[in-house]
Amino acid sequence: MALTSITFHELHHKMLALKKKREQQQLNGGNSNTSARVISGAQIRVQKDVTELELPPTIELQFDNPNDLLHFTVTIKPADGLYKGGVFPFSCEISEDYPIKPPKFLCIPKIYHPNIDLEGNVCLNILREDWKPILSLTSILLGLQILFLEPNPNDPLNKEAATELARDRHKFSTLVKRSMLGGYVGEVRYDQVLRR
Amino acid sequence: MAAFSPLTDPSIGPSLRSRGPFADPDYTPEFGSDSISESKILVIGAGGLGCEILKNLVLSGFRDIHVIDMDTIDVSNLNRQFLFRKEDVGRSKAIAASEFVMRRIRRGVRITPYFGKIQDKPKEYYRGFTLVICGLDSVEARRWINATLVDLAAEGDIVPMVDGGTEGFRGQTRVIIPTISSCYECSLDLLPTKRTFPVCTIANTPRLPEHCIEWAHQLLWPKNFPQRKFDADLEQHVDWIYDQALFRANEFGIEGVTRSLTLGVVKNIVPAIASTNAIIAASCCNEAFKFVTSCNPVLDNYMMYSGDQSVYSYSFCLEKKPDCPVCGSLAQDLTVPRFFTLQELLDLVAEKPKFQLKAPSVATSDRNLYLRFPEQLETLTRPNLELKLIDLISESEELLITDRSLPLSLKLRVRFTGDSERPKDSGNLSLIR
Ligand SMILES: [Zn+2]
């Protein structure tokens, strides 16, 4: 209700009526819990987002503490593409400012990927500059999966990998296979990420 | 010194004595004067806005003011946070501000400081205020106080909130009457998100000084110090980022990396402008004055001010969002027998035609009781379904229920009734009101 449609007089009456109702409730034996914490808007949003995720079987979530929905591991197991057969866990951290701020993702193993650097930083537009509060966790997780199906040489975080992908897709594919086995590409030794 | 009287005070007396054309029909000068003397106001934040607000409130005749702030005074605050002096550096803002106002501005007023977080105080603490004014720079704190006040309003105690905010030459004032007008959470999606840059630009093609700083901050720091978390309050940390950013800027021929810009980027701060704070604080206190005295209508309900390109101001009404997670569904009372299990509660709620839930998940403010998804959490929380509700939650504790079929969430306050032992022949739920 807009305040223009309500005079002060009415507002004060309304406030008084509510107060009376509450006193009545207390008389009737109801009591309010004085110590209970208030459920925050962030908590509601996270609970909705997490319990209503719609994920393909190639994406799994793992929580260390079932009472903490703000920290978890997401594992992507691509069923297709150059990274097929790999298992890619990411740590996820949702801040108390969610959904104003996007969640933070880091790839845990060291992998050879044009859009992921050796420290695990991910270049995905909706994780940073294109994040909007109306987006949900589902959209980010699907976005992460797409990075494995369609690595993008135009937004490089691992420059060597991006150059290789743009130049010779076949050779790039061989290097991806080698890196996933735990082998060297150039100077860097990557982590073994093949599904056992 | 004669006792202060709002009606004869040269500054506020005239506003109280003459009826405004839009004043409440019941308004009398005595009512306005008494209301202001009897009111109890809470100010959240004793920083740039808070100092102005405290001074304005006292000069407007308010006598019982409480102030909360968790920060201590930094030397960089002294240029605009005028209640503080050099010797106050390191002290609590709330305490120093209270002392200054009581000593220098008006004797006889009582200002009660609290040095700590708003979250330290129980919900009950907030029930006793006539009005809350926020001069905060944190979205999280605003969301918290907003949810708390909406919760109180659902129980019948309406404590309005006047929220001021500034960023550089811009600012806004907003009046929130919890459950009656739009709340802070209703318009959360309209908030500008933090200015961010694509990681790949930062990593490969920097063009702005900010790109160089973000490169050192986001990428280089975790790489060089994987074990150490960056702390923007530590001088050596900021210096390191500044040096690295400067080096990179030189490499790419980018100008403008300074230490203060570095601090601004890593702390995500926009320089505070003293005059913007003064304008917004004045507007907040005007609204508080009008609300408490009812001498004139309050702002309905949002005012924006922009002073960066000439001067522009505009006010409009933010509408309530029907599916607002905070004020869209107020906690409802539900009474169940003491012997009820969590499963029985969920069945009961699911059956109610009002709700029609399909696969509800339920939590308290700090524990997940049953989550339908993901699988791991479903397995972990499933044993709770068989437990007695009374062993899981305390009387009147709020439960949050989410479900795919609900556009938003459902909040329940469960009360218990009857015996804790299940009667022999109780398959039926007809006992339940
Ligand atoms: Zn709302």
Side-chain angles (χ1 to χ4, degrees), chain A residues 65-79:
Chain A
N65 172 359
N67 288 323
D68 179 6
L69 294 185
L70 300 181
H71 299 88
F72 53 90
T73 309
V74 181
T75 304
I76 297 184
K77 302 174 176 173

Side-chain angles (χ1 to χ4, degrees), chain A residues 1 3-4 8-9 22 31 33 42-44 47-48 52 62-63 66-67 98 119 121 123 128 156 159, chain B residues 24 26 143 155 157 180 197-200 204 219 223 300 325 363-364 368 376 395-396 402-403 406 415:
Chain A
M1 189 188 310
L3 284 177
T4 26
F8 248 95
H9 193 63
R22 172 178 154 71
N31 74 322
N33 190 318
Q43 184 191 347
I44 298 172
Q47 180 170 322
K48 257 190 99 60
E52 292 171 24
Q62 176 77 28
F63 291 78
N67 288 323
Y98 184 78
E119 281 68 46
N121 295 299
C123 191
R128 288 177 67 84
K159 256 194 201 160
Chain B
D24 198 80
D26 283 353
R143 285 174 87 181
E155 292 171 12
D157 288 306
I180 292 178
F197 309 101
V199 195
C200 9
N204 303 308
L219 300 175
K223 190 170 170 174
D300 177 27
T364 68
N368 292 320
Q376 180 216 356
E395 175 105 29
S396 299
T402 54
D403 185 278
L406 289 171
R415 299 177 202 282

Side-chain angles (χ1 to χ4, degrees), chain A residues 92-143:
Chain A
C92 172
E93 186 186 333
I94 301 180
S95 80
E96 287 287 344
D97 282 349
Y98 184 78
I100 304 299
K101 281 193 191 149
K104 268 191 196 152
F105 284 85
L106 270 186
C107 184
I108 299 168
K110 190 188 280 188
I111 65 167
Y112 179 72
H113 190 293
N115 312 111
I116 298 175
D117 72 12
L118 301 182
E119 281 68 46
N121 295 299
V122 186
C123 191
L124 179 64
N125 62 336
I126 54 170
L127 272 182
R128 288 177 67 84
E129 71 276 12
D130 290 334
W131 169 256
K132 297 277 178 302
I134 51 159
L135 292 170
S136 72
L137 267 183
T138 305
S139 37
I140 295 183
L141 298 183
L142 295 178

